[in-house]
Amino acid sequence: MQTILLTVDALRADHLGQYGYERDTMPALDRLTDAGTTFEQAYSNAPYTRISIPSFQTSQFLAYDEIARLPTIASILRNHGTKTAVVGTQTGVGLVDGDFRFEENLDMGRDEYYDEANRDRSLGEQVSHRIDRFASKIGPKLRQVESLYEPINAAYRRLVPTNDFQYLGYTSAERVTDRATEWIRDNQHDDFFLWIHYMEAHRPYGVHDTDPAYPDEQLDRDRIKELMKTAGTTPEEITESERELLVDLYDSDLRYCSRHLERLFDALDGLGLWEETNLLFSADHGEEFHEHGHYFHRNYPYDELIHVPLLVKGDDLPVDERVEEQRQLLDLAPTICQFHGVETDEFDFEGEPLFEGEERKIVALGSGRPDDEQVVAGRWDGWKFIADAESVQLYDLDTDPRESENVADDNQDVVRRFQREIPDYLFDREDESLRDPVDEVDKEQLEALGYLELQE
């Protein structure tokens, strides 16, 4: 049995033609919808990578701090004789203690754009960056002596400012596809589980495609840098025309990624693997374009950040089907294990196989904003509930699908129902604020996904 999980970082469902978008941003996905099942209401269990990816690799809400002791898809399948590998670029493996335990971890890192984008920082930023690099090397040693580490770390944070914006970078979909295709060709006769993670929907948009589909002209990299920084640090200064340009760049990256998905699908077909290989396509979370005051994915779990695509095809699975009932990414692990004949009862998965059970009651954790880490959201029965330590939000999705009018005060019975039905341990969990990096490599991985910058 061979299974491929395809994920695209920061891909929101409603920017795909297969989900009703006016632009045909990823036509390659028609091959999956025609050959399999489209889950119309699929949701991530967090609005950002650090919680989402660990949760769907383990089918556990709180995996972000417990990954080292939890069964993962890869560790389970390896124990049952399946070859496992991940191919990607800044896949988020370094965001948690431990890893997902793939036999082969083929992280393509970042290409030259990252160095180019950060080359012209001010002298002060460069000095701060050099000091920070040195601190990251001695920090793990100091951490071993807690009585010394805490006061020194506190003083350091006061004296050395953190750069207010990270210019990110990642390897192109072209190179990821080349490497994934090579791996598939080398292992085509084995049972395998391969996870391929693309970053083309994640900022910075528009840095790999030389012929973007939707902007009127190719933007130079300085203009892209300016747009990314303004959207990330002072989103209120983005004009409507600039917002539309950001959307054009985002959608163009999806079209670019689609071209390389098409190459991947062609390669599978050419190897005679397309018909029988299980293929699952999704995203770790979505992306915001100022719907709730921000850009990227630094907000509460509103639908633009947790409604993700989910397409599944495989041998003996439904063809050209659409499922309207809610599903969640916690369902990926039990589904993939089931494909490989693995009994999952012993693993305490919090999801269940996608093609079984009733509509899911969606719970999402975290906000991507450092001051609001303890966030719990619920989505079912036509309502959206979001709570943190200071406030409660409730939205009637039937009349307010954009989640613009908080009606919690007028519907306290619904609020209490969500508070009662969401497990207490999700409200009472430890703060999931991001840990300090343990070394320079770890620090670079955290920076690459934007988790070490000030978020205003």
Side-chain angles (χ1 to χ4, degrees):
M1 181 61 64
Q2 296 164 330
T3 298
I4 299 175
L5 171 63
L6 297 165
T7 51
V8 177
D9 206 295
L11 173 59
R12 52 190 284 173
D14 64 357
H15 274 242
L16 296 175
Q18 294 80 7
Y19 284 79
Y21 194 42
E22 63 268 20
R23 288 173 168 170
D24 191 14
T25 52
M26 300 191 84
L29 297 182
D30 288 344
R31 290 170 72 168
L32 288 181
T33 59
D34 292 345
T37 299
T38 301
F39 293 90
E40 296 183 352
Q41 297 292 324
Y43 295 89
S44 169
N45 298 102
Y48 62 106
T49 302
R50 183 182 177 259
I51 300 181
S52 176
I53 285 182
S55 70
F56 75 64
Q57 290 288 344
T58 61
S59 194
Q60 294 281 344
F61 285 111
L62 303 184
Y64 53 85
D65 274 338
E66 301 177 347
I67 193 74
R69 71 171 188 82
L70 291 173
T72 65
I73 304 172
S75 69
I76 293 168
L77 296 185
R78 285 179 65 179
N79 289 337
H80 286 79
T82 299
K83 185 171 290 188
T84 64
V86 53
V87 181
T89 168
Q90 300 301 334
T91 58
V93 172
L95 296 180
V96 290
D97 295 320
D99 59 41
F100 302 122
R101 301 193 288 287
F102 286 85
E103 287 178 85
E104 296 181 72
N105 184 350
L106 307 173
D107 192 333
M108 308 292 288
R110 294 185 290 244
D111 61 17
E112 70 281 356
Y113 174 80
Y114 175 78
D115 292 330
E116 291 177 6
N118 287 282
R119 190 171 294 144
D120 58 354
R121 284 183 176 278
S122 69
L123 178 60
E125 288 177 326
Q126 292 181 39
V127 170
S128 175
H129 184 65
R130 289 178 182 273
I131 294 172
D132 216 24
R133 286 174 67 92
F134 174 73
S136 70
K137 293 178 181 178
I138 66 171
K141 297 178 181 178
L142 285 175
R143 189 188 297 275
Q144 297 173 13
V145 186
E146 187 171 346
S147 59
L148 289 176
Y149 174 77
E150 292 298 336
I152 292 175
N153 184 57
Y156 171 74
R157 294 301 176 194
R158 287 195 302 270
L159 294 172
V160 181
T162 302
N163 293 331
D164 67 348
F165 191 76
Q166 297 292 336
Y167 293 109
L168 308 184
Y170 49 83
T171 301
S172 68
E174 179 179 9
R175 289 187 58 202
V176 169
T177 300
D178 288 345
R179 187 66 184 90
T181 301
E182 177 186 348
W183 190 93
I184 293 168
R185 186 177 296 112
D186 290 344
N187 296 276
Q188 61 182 298
H189 301 298
D190 298 319
D191 289 341
F192 66 72
F193 167 55
L194 174 64
W195 174 30
I196 306 172
H197 188 69
Y198 291 99
M199 290 289 290
E200 250 62 32
H202 195 287
R203 73 174 175 92
Y205 318 137
V207 298
H208 291 132
D209 191 0
T210 59
D211 185 22
Y214 300 110
D216 292 335
E217 59 182 333
Q218 173 74 46
L219 275 70
D220 63 42
R221 289 189 168 185
D222 286 341
R223 177 61 172 140
I224 291 173
K225 283 175 58 179
E226 178 189 0
L227 278 171
M228 296 299 116
K229 184 171 183 177
T230 303
T233 58
T234 53
E236 68 280 0
E237 294 182 7
I238 292 288
T239 66
E240 177 58 24
S241 63
E242 287 175 327
R243 191 196 71 81
E244 293 173 358
L245 182 54
L246 286 165
V247 171
D248 286 346
L249 290 170
Y250 176 86
D251 288 349
S252 295
D253 273 4
L254 303 190
R255 191 65 179 247
Y256 167 78
C257 187
S258 180
R259 296 203 300 269
H260 296 290
L261 285 173
E262 193 75 49
R263 289 200 303 121
L264 178 72
F265 296 164
D266 285 344
L268 289 169
D269 199 18
L271 293 169
L273 300 178
W274 174 260
E275 293 295 333
E276 294 185 359
T277 298
N278 301 310
L279 273 173
L280 304 92
F281 177 89
S282 192
D284 57 344
H285 53 75
E287 191 83 330
E288 182 182 355
F289 292 99
H290 210 248
E291 289 90 344
H292 289 91
H294 293 268
Y295 289 86
F296 312 136
H297 38 279
R298 304 170 175 175
N299 216 329
Y300 291 99
Y302 299 114
D303 274 9
E304 60 265 20
L305 294 182
I306 64 170
H307 183 205
V308 293
L310 182 56
L311 313 174
V312 182
K313 82 155 202 72
D315 198 22
D316 296 328
L317 293 179
V319 174
D320 195 22
E321 290 278 338
R322 299 190 76 90
V323 173
E324 296 181 359
E325 291 80 10
Q326 291 189 157
R327 295 293 188 266
Q328 58 188 333
L329 295 193
L330 287 176
D331 297 334
L332 291 178
T335 301
I336 293 168
C337 288
Q338 186 181 71
F339 285 166
H340 288 261
V342 177
E343 177 57 54
T344 60
D345 290 346
E346 64 181 284
F347 301 117
D348 296 323
F349 286 156
E350 292 182 288
E352 56 185 312
L354 284 165
F355 294 91
E356 298 178 6
E358 303 298 324
E359 176 165 285
R360 315 301 196 248
K361 293 185 174 181
I362 307 300
V363 175
L365 306 179
S367 73
R369 295 162 62 180
D371 295 333
D372 299 308
E373 291 295 345
Q374 290 279 21
V375 175
V376 181
R379 191 190 197 282
W380 60 82
D381 292 344
W383 297 96
K384 181 70 163 291
F385 165 87
I386 303 173
D388 61 22
E390 305 296 330
S391 65
V392 172
Q393 302 173 51
L394 185 71
Y395 301 98
D396 183 343
L397 298 177
D398 292 331
T399 62
D400 181 25
R402 295 182 181 274
E403 300 164 277
S404 59
E405 182 181 358
N406 184 1
V407 295
D409 290 343
D410 296 329
N411 294 275
Q412 285 297 302
D413 57 331
V414 179
V415 169
R416 286 190 292 271
R417 189 162 74 241
F418 274 96
Q419 291 170 330
R420 185 169 59 250
E421 294 188 31
I422 294 174
D424 289 341
Y425 76 93
L426 296 181
F427 287 104
D428 300 334
R429 69 194 188 280
E430 291 294 319
D431 187 1
E432 76 266 11
S433 59
L434 197 65
R435 59 172 170 76
D436 291 333
V438 297
D439 56 30
E440 183 63 19
V441 173
D442 188 29
K443 183 175 185 292
E444 289 184 358
Q445 287 182 315
L446 293 169
E447 287 177 341
L449 283 165
Y451 295 115
L452 292 186
E453 65 193 36
L454 291 179
Q455 300 173 4
E456 297 182 5

